[in-house]
Amino acid sequence: MEIQHLEFLKHLRPFPRHVYLDHNATTPVSRRVRRKMNRVLKHCHGNPSALYGSGRKSAAVLEEARQQVADAIHAEPGEIYFTGCATESNNAVLQSLSRHFYPGKKKIISSPIEHPSVLRTLEFLQAQGIVVEYCPVDRHGRVRLDELERMIDGDTFLVCCMLANNETGTIQDIPAVATIARRHAALVLSDCVQALGKIPIDVRAWGIDYASFSAHKLYGPKGVGALYVRQGSPFAPFMHGGHQEGGMRAGTESLHNIAGFGAACRDAAKLLAHAEPIRALKRQLTQGLKEIKPDLVVNSPETDGLPNTLSLTFPNVNNAELLAVLDQRGIAVSAGSACSAHDDRPSSTLKAIGLSDQAARATIRISLGCDTPARDIRYTLKVFRDHFAGRTLLVSMIEPEQLNEAVLFNENTYVLDVRSQSLRKKCKSLPNAHEASFAALEKCLRQIPKEKHILVACQGGGLSYIASYYLRSKGFELVSNLRGGVSGWKKRHGDLYQKYAGQNVTVLRPAK
Ligand code: PLP
């Protein structure tokens, strides 16, 4: 074929690379799980509570999954209740036990590095009169057992301590926590969400009373969790209604999700076999990053944490910028702070292990999966190397002080506000802003003028970083990110905020 016939090839973009290194956020559904779920969706339509044939068939699927979850954690099937998610499991235990013990006993001891589904629930209970105390942790986030021993007393009805931390991968000595609790007649709840499929779990041998789990962290579906309640431990229903789950959790069971959870648990033992290869890849990545950035700080325990989890602080680097650069090259990692689509606050876990706000905002989390290939680690190292050698696209920054009337009302300025609806309610938009939530940005691209200076704003300046890099990668040449976001501008220019915020705002409509 003549060469001019191949001319069109130069217009083709190279196949985009996707490297997923955020398995602690969620995991892809495995093929075996998907197959099981499809079979259930196709063949098991009966309500598991119904007495006729198709109902009994569904009930059998439900009980098979219950057995599979129980087997994965060394429990009895009668001790497993299916829930909508681990957040619900944690809420159910904390709220049910508070009702059960209060006001006879009033105290819960927890740790400051728990997941928000625990921390926010504890805040709620505190407002109801429950006394909540947080046991200090060491540099890696390990609960100080001597402090726990000192804090626990006859008024304590529950010790709540996660098995493995989602941000740092720190593993707690849960059997030791349970021994201390038992000596003082306190019960133990352990959030085991991040541990299942990564390290062995034996709820019976460890002597814990309650444990929460979530399918989507071990290659199962989203929207289904489980709660282990040790035989004989107090527990009252959180959801009221029908008699499902032995009357402990009302609502028709999400059968295909539960079956998927069971299938994922059946594979849990196989997942454990991946631990060492994953740990070796993590070591390779850490080593490579230390060579690229010698001042790198590793927050995760070097040897005894989760095999897949790496919390890394890059001093004087904005984690939002790093995330944006990686995202633009197809790599998904996460940050414990400042970059979530909904929350700009630094992570409480990172603060509890002693990081300053600034260090927390320079921290990212990388979490490998059982199928992460070595080539993904090599590619990731190359992207980091390129970035720190200055070989990446640039986005300019605009400081809140600089954002005066002259810039705001310049006809060449196009203000793009990428916040979600809920954040816009908290703080009004910049004048003349064009609102397109980050999730809808891709479908609004054609409405954004390429020739103008695009000024991207979010609530705190993190998410807009990612949006700015995204726009650069889509051919927008003049893009600036507003440092500190709309809330930073409001702080610096309270007068302008009062006078102009929310004026002449246009909502961009995503293309169909
Ligand atoms: N606990 C931990 C440690 C987690 O990492 C998560 C999810 O990120 C949860 C609880 C909440 O799980 P779910 O998404 O099922 O509510």
Side-chain angles (χ1 to χ4, degrees), residues 28-59:
V29 177
S30 77
R31 193 178 320 158
R32 279 158 63 97
V33 168
R34 233 170 23 230
R35 263 200 233 126
K36 175 74 187 184
M37 292 176 70
N38 283 339
R39 275 202 303 275
V40 170
L41 281 168
K42 194 165 172 191
H43 300 295
C44 307
H45 66 273
N47 189 318
S49 299
L51 299 176
Y52 42 78
S54 62
R56 291 198 302 274
K57 191 171 166 189
S58 295

PDB file of all heavy atoms in Angstrom, residues 28-59:
ATOM      1  N   PRO A  28     -12.028  -3.742  40.702  1.00  0.00           N
ATOM      2  CA  PRO A  28     -12.881  -4.200  39.598  1.00  0.00           C
ATOM      3  C   PRO A  28     -13.530  -5.536  39.973  1.00  0.00           C
ATOM      4  O   PRO A  28     -12.949  -6.306  40.743  1.00  0.00           O
ATOM      5  CB  PRO A  28     -11.898  -4.361  38.433  1.00  0.00           C
ATOM      6  CG  PRO A  28     -10.550  -4.460  39.050  1.00  0.00           C
ATOM      7  CD  PRO A  28     -10.598  -3.775  40.383  1.00  0.00           C
ATOM      8  N   VAL A  29     -14.694  -5.778  39.432  1.00  0.00           N
ATOM      9  CA  VAL A  29     -15.382  -7.054  39.732  1.00  0.00           C
ATOM     10  C   VAL A  29     -14.698  -8.174  38.948  1.00  0.00           C
ATOM     11  O   VAL A  29     -14.496  -8.050  37.737  1.00  0.00           O
ATOM     12  CB  VAL A  29     -16.882  -6.950  39.359  1.00  0.00           C
ATOM     13  CG1 VAL A  29     -17.594  -8.274  39.590  1.00  0.00           C
ATOM     14  CG2 VAL A  29     -17.543  -5.840  40.171  1.00  0.00           C
ATOM     15  N   SER A  30     -14.350  -9.244  39.642  1.00  0.00           N
ATOM     16  CA  SER A  30     -13.615 -10.319  38.963  1.00  0.00           C
ATOM     17  C   SER A  30     -14.551 -11.082  38.015  1.00  0.00           C
ATOM     18  O   SER A  30     -15.772 -11.045  38.157  1.00  0.00           O
ATOM     19  CB  SER A  30     -13.020 -11.291  39.980  1.00  0.00           C
ATOM     20  OG  SER A  30     -14.043 -12.133  40.478  1.00  0.00           O
ATOM     21  N   ARG A  31     -13.941 -11.795  37.058  1.00  0.00           N
ATOM     22  CA  ARG A  31     -14.746 -12.486  36.058  1.00  0.00           C
ATOM     23  C   ARG A  31     -15.636 -13.554  36.710  1.00  0.00           C
ATOM     24  O   ARG A  31     -16.797 -13.707  36.381  1.00  0.00           O
ATOM     25  CB  ARG A  31     -13.832 -13.121  35.012  1.00  0.00           C
ATOM     26  CG  ARG A  31     -14.637 -13.559  33.829  1.00  0.00           C
ATOM     27  CD  ARG A  31     -13.855 -14.168  32.712  1.00  0.00           C
ATOM     28  NE  ARG A  31     -12.587 -13.499  32.461  1.00  0.00           N
ATOM     29  CZ  ARG A  31     -11.572 -14.082  31.856  1.00  0.00           C
ATOM     30  NH1 ARG A  31     -11.668 -15.315  31.469  1.00  0.00           N
ATOM     31  NH2 ARG A  31     -10.453 -13.441  31.637  1.00  0.00           N
ATOM     32  N   ARG A  32     -15.040 -14.268  37.688  1.00  0.00           N
ATOM     33  CA  ARG A  32     -15.826 -15.337  38.341  1.00  0.00           C
ATOM     34  C   ARG A  32     -17.022 -14.759  39.088  1.00  0.00           C
ATOM     35  O   ARG A  32     -18.118 -15.308  39.086  1.00  0.00           O
ATOM     36  CB  ARG A  32     -14.933 -16.111  39.314  1.00  0.00           C
ATOM     37  CG  ARG A  32     -14.081 -17.159  38.613  1.00  0.00           C
ATOM     38  CD  ARG A  32     -12.884 -17.500  39.450  1.00  0.00           C
ATOM     39  NE  ARG A  32     -13.214 -18.083  40.722  1.00  0.00           N
ATOM     40  CZ  ARG A  32     -13.228 -19.397  40.953  1.00  0.00           C
ATOM     41  NH1 ARG A  32     -12.946 -20.227  39.965  1.00  0.00           N
ATOM     42  NH2 ARG A  32     -13.521 -19.868  42.133  1.00  0.00           N
ATOM     43  N   VAL A  33     -16.791 -13.615  39.729  1.00  0.00           N
ATOM     44  CA  VAL A  33     -17.885 -12.967  40.467  1.00  0.00           C
ATOM     45  C   VAL A  33     -18.968 -12.523  39.485  1.00  0.00           C
ATOM     46  O   VAL A  33     -20.167 -12.729  39.689  1.00  0.00           O
ATOM     47  CB  VAL A  33     -17.350 -11.774  41.293  1.00  0.00           C
ATOM     48  CG1 VAL A  33     -18.490 -10.918  41.816  1.00  0.00           C
ATOM     49  CG2 VAL A  33     -16.471 -12.267  42.435  1.00  0.00           C
ATOM     50  N   ARG A  34     -18.519 -11.916  38.375  1.00  0.00           N
ATOM     51  CA  ARG A  34     -19.470 -11.428  37.373  1.00  0.00           C
ATOM     52  C   ARG A  34     -20.324 -12.577  36.824  1.00  0.00           C
ATOM     53  O   ARG A  34     -21.541 -12.461  36.690  1.00  0.00           O
ATOM     54  CB  ARG A  34     -18.665 -10.796  36.235  1.00  0.00           C
ATOM     55  CG  ARG A  34     -19.127  -9.405  35.927  1.00  0.00           C
ATOM     56  CD  ARG A  34     -18.256  -8.642  34.999  1.00  0.00           C
ATOM     57  NE  ARG A  34     -17.403  -9.363  34.115  1.00  0.00           N
ATOM     58  CZ  ARG A  34     -16.111  -9.116  33.964  1.00  0.00           C
ATOM     59  NH1 ARG A  34     -15.542  -8.166  34.696  1.00  0.00           N
ATOM     60  NH2 ARG A  34     -15.367  -9.783  33.113  1.00  0.00           N
ATOM     61  N   ARG A  35     -19.653 -13.687  36.570  1.00  0.00           N
ATOM     62  CA  ARG A  35     -20.382 -14.835  36.021  1.00  0.00           C
ATOM     63  C   ARG A  35     -21.454 -15.313  36.993  1.00  0.00           C
ATOM     64  O   ARG A  35     -22.585 -15.585  36.634  1.00  0.00           O
ATOM     65  CB  ARG A  35     -19.397 -15.973  35.741  1.00  0.00           C
ATOM     66  CG  ARG A  35     -18.982 -15.988  34.295  1.00  0.00           C
ATOM     67  CD  ARG A  35     -18.435 -17.359  33.939  1.00  0.00           C
ATOM     68  NE  ARG A  35     -17.136 -17.172  33.352  1.00  0.00           N
ATOM     69  CZ  ARG A  35     -16.001 -17.738  33.733  1.00  0.00           C
ATOM     70  NH1 ARG A  35     -15.998 -18.579  34.732  1.00  0.00           N
ATOM     71  NH2 ARG A  35     -14.882 -17.496  33.127  1.00  0.00           N
ATOM     72  N   LYS A  36     -21.046 -15.385  38.274  1.00  0.00           N
ATOM     73  CA  LYS A  36     -21.997 -15.847  39.293  1.00  0.00           C
ATOM     74  C   LYS A  36     -23.186 -14.881  39.365  1.00  0.00           C
ATOM     75  O   LYS A  36     -24.353 -15.296  39.406  1.00  0.00           O
ATOM     76  CB  LYS A  36     -21.271 -15.909  40.649  1.00  0.00           C
ATOM     77  CG  LYS A  36     -22.156 -16.253  41.817  1.00  0.00           C
ATOM     78  CD  LYS A  36     -22.519 -17.721  41.787  1.00  0.00           C
ATOM     79  CE  LYS A  36     -23.543 -18.068  42.844  1.00  0.00           C
ATOM     80  NZ  LYS A  36     -23.849 -19.473  42.904  1.00  0.00           N
ATOM     81  N   MET A  37     -22.873 -13.590  39.359  1.00  0.00           N
ATOM     82  CA  MET A  37     -23.952 -12.598  39.458  1.00  0.00           C
ATOM     83  C   MET A  37     -24.880 -12.672  38.249  1.00  0.00           C
ATOM     84  O   MET A  37     -26.100 -12.585  38.396  1.00  0.00           O
ATOM     85  CB  MET A  37     -23.360 -11.191  39.596  1.00  0.00           C
ATOM     86  CG  MET A  37     -22.662 -10.980  40.918  1.00  0.00           C
ATOM     87  SD  MET A  37     -21.892  -9.366  41.016  1.00  0.00           S
ATOM     88  CE  MET A  37     -23.333  -8.308  41.105  1.00  0.00           C
ATOM     89  N   ASN A  38     -24.308 -12.836  37.076  1.00  0.00           N
ATOM     90  CA  ASN A  38     -25.142 -12.936  35.868  1.00  0.00           C
ATOM     91  C   ASN A  38     -26.072 -14.141  35.948  1.00  0.00           C
ATOM     92  O   ASN A  38     -27.239 -14.069  35.584  1.00  0.00           O
ATOM     93  CB  ASN A  38     -24.259 -13.039  34.619  1.00  0.00           C
ATOM     94  CG  ASN A  38     -23.683 -11.683  34.258  1.00  0.00           C
ATOM     95  OD1 ASN A  38     -24.219 -10.660  34.662  1.00  0.00           O
ATOM     96  ND2 ASN A  38     -22.586 -11.680  33.519  1.00  0.00           N
ATOM     97  N   ARG A  39     -25.507 -15.251  36.430  1.00  0.00           N
ATOM     98  CA  ARG A  39     -26.343 -16.470  36.549  1.00  0.00           C
ATOM     99  C   ARG A  39     -27.514 -16.218  37.493  1.00  0.00           C
ATOM    100  O   ARG A  39     -28.641 -16.602  37.235  1.00  0.00           O
ATOM    101  CB  ARG A  39     -25.488 -17.634  37.058  1.00  0.00           C
ATOM    102  CG  ARG A  39     -24.744 -18.364  35.952  1.00  0.00           C
ATOM    103  CD  ARG A  39     -24.365 -19.784  36.373  1.00  0.00           C
ATOM    104  NE  ARG A  39     -23.566 -19.818  37.588  1.00  0.00           N
ATOM    105  CZ  ARG A  39     -22.246 -19.676  37.616  1.00  0.00           C
ATOM    106  NH1 ARG A  39     -21.562 -19.473  36.495  1.00  0.00           N
ATOM    107  NH2 ARG A  39     -21.591 -19.734  38.754  1.00  0.00           N
ATOM    108  N   VAL A  40     -27.217 -15.543  38.614  1.00  0.00           N
ATOM    109  CA  VAL A  40     -28.277 -15.288  39.601  1.00  0.00           C
ATOM    110  C   VAL A  40     -29.323 -14.341  39.017  1.00  0.00           C
ATOM    111  O   VAL A  40     -30.530 -14.550  39.151  1.00  0.00           O
ATOM    112  CB  VAL A  40     -27.666 -14.740  40.919  1.00  0.00           C
ATOM    113  CG1 VAL A  40     -28.747 -14.234  41.859  1.00  0.00           C
ATOM    114  CG2 VAL A  40     -26.846 -15.827  41.599  1.00  0.00           C
ATOM    115  N   LEU A  41     -28.851 -13.298  38.317  1.00  0.00           N
ATOM    116  CA  LEU A  41     -29.797 -12.344  37.721  1.00  0.00           C
ATOM    117  C   LEU A  41     -30.702 -13.041  36.699  1.00  0.00           C
ATOM    118  O   LEU A  41     -31.878 -12.731  36.576  1.00  0.00           O
ATOM    119  CB  LEU A  41     -29.035 -11.201  37.046  1.00  0.00           C
ATOM    120  CG  LEU A  41     -28.515 -10.120  37.984  1.00  0.00           C
ATOM    121  CD1 LEU A  41     -27.534  -9.208  37.265  1.00  0.00           C
ATOM    122  CD2 LEU A  41     -29.657  -9.300  38.564  1.00  0.00           C
ATOM    123  N   LYS A  42     -30.118 -13.997  35.989  1.00  0.00           N
ATOM    124  CA  LYS A  42     -30.876 -14.673  34.932  1.00  0.00           C
ATOM    125  C   LYS A  42     -31.830 -15.731  35.484  1.00  0.00           C
ATOM    126  O   LYS A  42     -32.962 -15.852  35.027  1.00  0.00           O
ATOM    127  CB  LYS A  42     -29.864 -15.322  33.969  1.00  0.00           C
ATOM    128  CG  LYS A  42     -30.449 -15.761  32.675  1.00  0.00           C
ATOM    129  CD  LYS A  42     -29.351 -16.039  31.677  1.00  0.00           C
ATOM    130  CE  LYS A  42     -29.943 -16.669  30.441  1.00  0.00           C
ATOM    131  NZ  LYS A  42     -28.880 -17.172  29.580  1.00  0.00           N
ATOM    132  N   HIS A  43     -31.357 -16.470  36.480  1.00  0.00           N
ATOM    133  CA  HIS A  43     -32.122 -17.670  36.856  1.00  0.00           C
ATOM    134  C   HIS A  43     -32.804 -17.590  38.223  1.00  0.00           C
ATOM    135  O   HIS A  43     -33.562 -18.494  38.557  1.00  0.00           O
ATOM    136  CB  HIS A  43     -31.197 -18.897  36.856  1.00  0.00           C
ATOM    137  CG  HIS A  43     -30.565 -19.159  35.522  1.00  0.00           C
ATOM    138  ND1 HIS A  43     -31.305 -19.518  34.420  1.00  0.00           N
ATOM    139  CD2 HIS A  43     -29.267 -19.089  35.115  1.00  0.00           C
ATOM    140  CE1 HIS A  43     -30.486 -19.668  33.384  1.00  0.00           C
ATOM    141  NE2 HIS A  43     -29.246 -19.411  33.781  1.00  0.00           N
ATOM    142  N   CYS A  44     -32.488 -16.596  39.035  1.00  0.00           N
ATOM    143  CA  CYS A  44     -33.031 -16.612  40.410  1.00  0.00           C
ATOM    144  C   CYS A  44     -33.850 -15.365  40.689  1.00  0.00           C
ATOM    145  O   CYS A  44     -33.386 -14.449  41.373  1.00  0.00           O
ATOM    146  CB  CYS A  44     -31.906 -16.731  41.440  1.00  0.00           C
ATOM    147  SG  CYS A  44     -30.811 -18.099  41.148  1.00  0.00           S
ATOM    148  N   HIS A  45     -35.037 -15.295  40.137  1.00  0.00           N
ATOM    149  CA  HIS A  45     -35.848 -14.088  40.329  1.00  0.00           C
ATOM    150  C   HIS A  45     -36.735 -14.164  41.566  1.00  0.00           C
ATOM    151  O   HIS A  45     -37.302 -13.173  41.991  1.00  0.00           O
ATOM    152  CB  HIS A  45     -36.715 -13.836  39.093  1.00  0.00           C
ATOM    153  CG  HIS A  45     -37.742 -14.905  38.919  1.00  0.00           C
ATOM    154  ND1 HIS A  45     -37.481 -16.070  38.242  1.00  0.00           N
ATOM    155  CD2 HIS A  45     -39.014 -14.999  39.378  1.00  0.00           C
ATOM    156  CE1 HIS A  45     -38.545 -16.844  38.290  1.00  0.00           C
ATOM    157  NE2 HIS A  45     -39.485 -16.222  38.980  1.00  0.00           N
ATOM    158  N   GLY A  46     -36.874 -15.335  42.160  1.00  0.00           N
ATOM    159  CA  GLY A  46     -37.801 -15.484  43.289  1.00  0.00           C
ATOM    160  C   GLY A  46     -37.338 -14.714  44.518  1.00  0.00           C
ATOM    161  O   GLY A  46     -36.146 -14.502  44.721  1.00  0.00           O
ATOM    162  N   ASN A  47     -38.306 -14.279  45.311  1.00  0.00           N
ATOM    163  CA  ASN A  47     -37.975 -13.603  46.571  1.00  0.00           C
ATOM    164  C   ASN A  47     -37.509 -14.668  47.569  1.00  0.00           C
ATOM    165  O   ASN A  47     -38.235 -15.639  47.822  1.00  0.00           O
ATOM    166  CB  ASN A  47     -39.227 -12.883  47.087  1.00  0.00           C
ATOM    167  CG  ASN A  47     -38.908 -11.993  48.269  1.00  0.00           C
ATOM    168  OD1 ASN A  47     -38.147 -12.384  49.159  1.00  0.00           O
ATOM    169  ND2 ASN A  47     -39.476 -10.809  48.281  1.00  0.00           N
ATOM    170  N   PRO A  48     -36.334 -14.494  48.157  1.00  0.00           N
ATOM    171  CA  PRO A  48     -35.832 -15.545  49.056  1.00  0.00           C
ATOM    172  C   PRO A  48     -36.758 -15.846  50.222  1.00  0.00           C
ATOM    173  O   PRO A  48     -36.650 -16.898  50.856  1.00  0.00           O
ATOM    174  CB  PRO A  48     -34.494 -14.987  49.565  1.00  0.00           C
ATOM    175  CG  PRO A  48     -34.128 -13.887  48.646  1.00  0.00           C
ATOM    176  CD  PRO A  48     -35.390 -13.372  48.022  1.00  0.00           C
ATOM    177  N   SER A  49     -37.689 -14.941  50.525  1.00  0.00           N
ATOM    178  CA  SER A  49     -38.611 -15.207  51.638  1.00  0.00           C
ATOM    179  C   SER A  49     -39.815 -16.041  51.202  1.00  0.00           C
ATOM    180  O   SER A  49     -40.572 -16.520  52.046  1.00  0.00           O
ATOM    181  CB  SER A  49     -39.144 -13.885  52.211  1.00  0.00           C
ATOM    182  OG  SER A  49     -38.084 -13.118  52.693  1.00  0.00           O
ATOM    183  N   ALA A  50     -40.007 -16.193  49.879  1.00  0.00           N
ATOM    184  CA  ALA A  50     -41.185 -16.922  49.394  1.00  0.00           C
ATOM    185  C   ALA A  50     -41.012 -18.426  49.601  1.00  0.00           C
ATOM    186  O   ALA A  50     -39.897 -18.943  49.555  1.00  0.00           O
ATOM    187  CB  ALA A  50     -41.402 -16.612  47.911  1.00  0.00           C
ATOM    188  N   LEU A  51     -42.141 -19.090  49.801  1.00  0.00           N
ATOM    189  CA  LEU A  51     -42.056 -20.513  50.147  1.00  0.00           C
ATOM    190  C   LEU A  51     -42.057 -21.434  48.930  1.00  0.00           C
ATOM    191  O   LEU A  51     -41.685 -22.583  49.028  1.00  0.00           O
ATOM    192  CB  LEU A  51     -43.233 -20.874  51.061  1.00  0.00           C
ATOM    193  CG  LEU A  51     -43.248 -20.105  52.387  1.00  0.00           C
ATOM    194  CD1 LEU A  51     -44.497 -20.443  53.204  1.00  0.00           C
ATOM    195  CD2 LEU A  51     -41.994 -20.413  53.199  1.00  0.00           C
ATOM    196  N   TYR A  52     -42.485 -20.926  47.770  1.00  0.00           N
ATOM    197  CA  TYR A  52     -42.560 -21.793  46.580  1.00  0.00           C
ATOM    198  C   TYR A  52     -41.166 -21.983  45.958  1.00  0.00           C
ATOM    199  O   TYR A  52     -40.171 -21.383  46.424  1.00  0.00           O
ATOM    200  CB  TYR A  52     -43.543 -21.220  45.553  1.00  0.00           C
ATOM    201  CG  TYR A  52     -43.441 -19.721  45.383  1.00  0.00           C
ATOM    202  CD1 TYR A  52     -42.425 -19.157  44.632  1.00  0.00           C
ATOM    203  CD2 TYR A  52     -44.341 -18.875  46.025  1.00  0.00           C
ATOM    204  CE1 TYR A  52     -42.311 -17.792  44.497  1.00  0.00           C
ATOM    205  CE2 TYR A  52     -44.239 -17.510  45.901  1.00  0.00           C
ATOM    206  CZ  TYR A  52     -43.226 -16.960  45.135  1.00  0.00           C
ATOM    207  OH  TYR A  52     -43.095 -15.618  45.025  1.00  0.00           O
ATOM    208  N   GLY A  53     -41.121 -22.797  44.910  1.00  0.00           N
ATOM    209  CA  GLY A  53     -39.852 -23.251  44.338  1.00  0.00           C
ATOM    210  C   GLY A  53     -38.840 -22.167  44.023  1.00  0.00           C
ATOM    211  O   GLY A  53     -37.682 -22.247  44.457  1.00  0.00           O
ATOM    212  N   SER A  54     -39.251 -21.111  43.274  1.00  0.00           N
ATOM    213  CA  SER A  54     -38.247 -20.114  42.860  1.00  0.00           C
ATOM    214  C   SER A  54     -37.735 -19.327  44.064  1.00  0.00           C
ATOM    215  O   SER A  54     -36.583 -18.890  44.104  1.00  0.00           O
ATOM    216  CB  SER A  54     -38.827 -19.176  41.794  1.00  0.00           C
ATOM    217  OG  SER A  54     -39.924 -18.464  42.313  1.00  0.00           O
ATOM    218  N   GLY A  55     -38.608 -19.170  45.077  1.00  0.00           N
ATOM    219  CA  GLY A  55     -38.181 -18.506  46.314  1.00  0.00           C
ATOM    220  C   GLY A  55     -37.142 -19.360  47.045  1.00  0.00           C
ATOM    221  O   GLY A  55     -36.116 -18.858  47.509  1.00  0.00           O
ATOM    222  N   ARG A  56     -37.430 -20.664  47.076  1.00  0.00           N
ATOM    223  CA  ARG A  56     -36.496 -21.570  47.778  1.00  0.00           C
ATOM    224  C   ARG A  56     -35.146 -21.593  47.070  1.00  0.00           C
ATOM    225  O   ARG A  56     -34.090 -21.651  47.701  1.00  0.00           O
ATOM    226  CB  ARG A  56     -37.094 -22.979  47.854  1.00  0.00           C
ATOM    227  CG  ARG A  56     -38.301 -23.076  48.777  1.00  0.00           C
ATOM    228  CD  ARG A  56     -38.585 -24.523  49.164  1.00  0.00           C
ATOM    229  NE  ARG A  56     -38.825 -25.400  48.013  1.00  0.00           N
ATOM    230  CZ  ARG A  56     -40.011 -25.572  47.417  1.00  0.00           C
ATOM    231  NH1 ARG A  56     -41.064 -24.906  47.822  1.00  0.00           N
ATOM    232  NH2 ARG A  56     -40.135 -26.408  46.397  1.00  0.00           N
ATOM    233  N   LYS A  57     -35.211 -21.497  45.729  1.00  0.00           N
ATOM    234  CA  LYS A  57     -33.956 -21.500  44.956  1.00  0.00           C
ATOM    235  C   LYS A  57     -33.121 -20.258  45.335  1.00  0.00           C
ATOM    236  O   LYS A  57     -31.906 -20.337  45.545  1.00  0.00           O
ATOM    237  CB  LYS A  57     -34.306 -21.462  43.463  1.00  0.00           C
ATOM    238  CG  LYS A  57     -33.165 -21.724  42.544  1.00  0.00           C
ATOM    239  CD  LYS A  57     -33.704 -21.880  41.134  1.00  0.00           C
ATOM    240  CE  LYS A  57     -32.600 -21.796  40.110  1.00  0.00           C
ATOM    241  NZ  LYS A  57     -33.104 -21.722  38.764  1.00  0.00           N
ATOM    242  N   SER A  58     -33.787 -19.111  45.440  1.00  0.00           N
ATOM    243  CA  SER A  58     -33.076 -17.881  45.822  1.00  0.00           C
ATOM    244  C   SER A  58     -32.558 -17.973  47.256  1.00  0.00           C
ATOM    245  O   SER A  58     -31.448 -17.514  47.560  1.00  0.00           O
ATOM    246  CB  SER A  58     -34.003 -16.663  45.681  1.00  0.00           C
ATOM    247  OG  SER A  58     -34.343 -16.480  44.340  1.00  0.00           O
ATOM    248  N   ALA A  59     -33.376 -18.565  48.120  1.00  0.00           N
ATOM    249  CA  ALA A  59     -32.952 -18.696  49.533  1.00  0.00           C
ATOM    250  C   ALA A  59     -31.680 -19.548  49.613  1.00  0.00           C
ATOM    251  O   ALA A  59     -30.780 -19.278  50.425  1.00  0.00           O
ATOM    252  CB  ALA A  59     -34.070 -19.306  50.362  1.00  0.00           C
TER     253      ALA A  59
END
